Amino acid sequence: MKTLILMLLILPLSIQAQISQGEFAQTINKLIEIYDKDLPTQRIVDINWESETENASVSYKNGKAQFSFHGGFVRNLNLSTDALALVTCHEIGHLIGGYPKVMPTQKYTSEGQSDYFATRTCLKKYFVETDDSNYSLSHIKQELIEKCDNNRFCLRGLAAIRDASVIYSENAHINHKTAHISPYTIFNDYPKGQCRVDTLRAGLFNDKRPSCWFKDFQSDRYEYDEEYIYEEAQAVADITEVTMTSFGCHVRTAYPNVWMGSYFNPLSESELMMKGVNVVGACPYKKGQVISGSMTLFRGSLYLNLRNTDK
C-alpha cells in the first residue's frame, strides 16, 4: 500500500512572497501526483511552510523516498510558482531522471542530469496539466523567445528558468552562457551556477547536455544495491602515478604509510596496491604528492572520500 504523508503547517505568513501557502503545497502535490506511478510507492512528502530553511531535498533508503520542501526556500528567494515547480522537478529527477548517476553506486541521478530532466521532461508535463498565463518574458533576450517559436510551454519554461536562476548564483542568468568545458562528467557535485542555468535552458529546448558538466555517460550501468556492505579503511600513501578519467582521475600509490581498516568491515591494504584508487570529481593530485582519506571498495574498485549521499 502506498504511504503518502503530507505535513503542512498552517501558520501566518510573515514575509511577503509570490507564492501563497496553498500554492506551495498545491504545486508540489501536483507534481508528485503526475509522477505517482514512476516514484517509489512508499514515500513521505514533508511540506513545511513554516520552516525558514532555504532548501529542498530528497533521499531514498530502505525502499522509501523522503521529499522535504521548506517554505523559507520560496519566501526568502521570492520564487514564482513555476520556479518552485522546476525545483520540485529537480528533486523528482534525482530518483527517476536517468543517467548520468552518482558514482559509483548509481543510487541517485546526478545534479546536472536532474536539472536537465527538470526542464526537458518534468516541467513540460506539469505545464500540460496546469494553467498559468500570468508569467512575463521581461529580461529574456529576444533570441531565446524566438527559439520557442510561439510554443506557450516553451515560453513559460523560459520564465520559470529566469525566476529560478537566483537559486544557483546571483550572477547566473538565462541570457548568459558559460564558456567553461569540464574535463570530466560531474557525477557527484553541483555544476557551477551558470552551467546549471545553461543545462535548464538546454533541456527546455531539447538541446544536448552542456559540456560545462557533461563529457560522457557511464559505460557500466547497474541497479543500486541497498544491501551492499562497504569495506573501508583510512589511509595515507605516496602517489606514484595519476591518470585522468571521465569521472576525475585514477591514482596509484606506494605501500601506504598509514592504514586503518574500518571496525565493521575492514579493507585490506592489498586492495590499494592491486587496484589503485578512483577520485570522483576535481583531481588535485600529482605524482610525488600524498593522498589521504577514506578508501571504499565497491564492485571491485576503490574510491576515495565518498560522501554518504554518494553511497
Side-chain angles (χ1 to χ4, degrees):
M1 181 178 295
K2 183 184 302 180
T3 301
L4 181 61
I5 302 175
L6 301 180
M7 297 176 63
L8 180 60
L9 304 182
I10 314 283
L11 292 171
L13 177 62
S14 58
I15 301 175
Q16 184 178 3
Q18 291 185 12
I19 301 178
S20 70
Q21 183 177 356
E23 289 170 330
F24 181 61
Q26 183 179 16
T27 300
I28 295 165
N29 286 334
K30 182 62 179 179
L31 278 158
I32 298 296
E33 176 189 324
I34 289 171
Y35 281 98
D36 175 67
K37 294 182 180 179
D38 301 304
L39 293 169
T41 54
Q42 294 189 65
R43 56 182 181 260
I44 296 173
V45 184
D46 180 3
I47 304 176
N48 191 336
W49 177 251
E50 181 192 36
S51 172
E52 287 300 321
T53 301
E54 292 186 9
N55 188 37
S57 64
V58 65
S59 63
Y60 182 73
K61 188 175 182 180
N62 298 326
K64 180 183 292 185
Q66 177 156 350
F67 293 91
S68 295
F69 298 95
H70 303 271
F73 192 55
V74 296
R75 289 197 301 273
N76 298 339
L77 295 177
N78 202 29
L79 298 182
S80 64
T81 304
D82 283 349
L84 171 62
L86 191 156
V87 169
T88 307
C89 281
H90 172 90
E91 300 307 331
I92 290 172
H94 276 308
L95 297 182
I96 63 171
Y99 289 87
K101 295 187 175 184
V102 298
M103 290 279 287
T105 60
Q106 303 185 18
K107 180 179 183 180
Y108 299 107
T109 292
S110 68
E111 298 292 346
Q113 179 62 23
S114 294
D115 286 335
Y116 192 67
F117 166 85
T119 51
R120 192 174 193 272
T121 304
C122 179
L123 202 61
K124 294 169 185 174
K125 286 189 175 183
Y126 173 76
F127 288 165
V128 168
E129 299 200 20
T130 59
D131 180 31
D132 186 356
S133 57
N134 296 324
Y135 65 88
S136 76
L137 298 175
S138 61
H139 306 294
I140 300 175
K141 64 183 181 181
Q142 190 63 29
E143 175 186 337
L144 296 176
I145 294 173
E146 291 176 357
K147 190 170 181 178
C148 281
D149 195 25
N150 293 320
N151 183 296
R152 62 189 180 93
F153 295 151
C154 178
L155 294 171
R156 186 177 168 186
L158 287 178
I161 297 170
R162 177 203 59 206
D163 296 344
S165 296
V166 66
I167 298 170
Y168 313 114
S169 167
E170 63 181 14
N171 297 319
H173 198 282
I174 192 170
N175 294 337
H176 301 160
K177 186 176 182 180
T178 182
H180 173 69
I181 297 177
S182 178
Y184 53 85
T185 296
I186 301 176
F187 290 106
N188 292 26
D189 296 301
Y190 290 97
K192 297 293 185 181
Q194 185 59 52
C195 181
R196 296 192 66 185
V197 174
D198 292 357
T199 303
L200 295 171
R201 190 175 56 233
L204 183 69
F205 289 136
N206 296 324
D207 292 339
K208 63 182 181 180
R209 297 163 183 80
S211 57
C212 56
W213 73 270
F214 180 78
K215 185 177 179 68
D216 200 3
F217 287 107
Q218 284 115 333
S219 57
D220 188 15
R221 300 185 180 189
Y222 38 81
E223 291 296 320
Y224 169 68
D225 183 5
E226 283 193 278
E227 303 302 319
Y228 185 86
I229 301 175
Y230 296 91
E231 295 177 69
E232 294 187 303
Q234 293 292 323
V236 178
D238 297 322
I239 297 172
T240 60
E241 180 183 313
V242 178
T243 305
M244 301 308 295
T245 65
S246 62
F247 53 79
C249 66
H250 179 265
V251 175
R252 290 280 183 182
T253 74
Y255 194 84
N257 302 314
V258 176
W259 189 271
M260 295 182 294
S262 66
Y263 179 80
F264 291 105
N265 197 7
L267 177 68
S268 169
E269 56 265 52
S270 62
E271 296 286 354
L272 177 62
M273 302 309 299
M274 289 189 298
K275 298 180 172 66
V277 61
N278 294 306
V279 179
V280 181
C283 182
Y285 301 108
K286 295 181 180 179
K287 181 179 178 180
Q289 293 181 333
V290 172
I291 190 170
S292 65
S294 176
M295 309 284 182
T296 302
L297 182 65
F298 181 79
R299 294 178 66 90
S301 297
L302 283 183
Y303 294 86
L304 179 72
N305 292 335
L306 290 181
R307 300 169 301 192
N308 287 332
T309 52
D310 298 330
K311 296 182 186 179

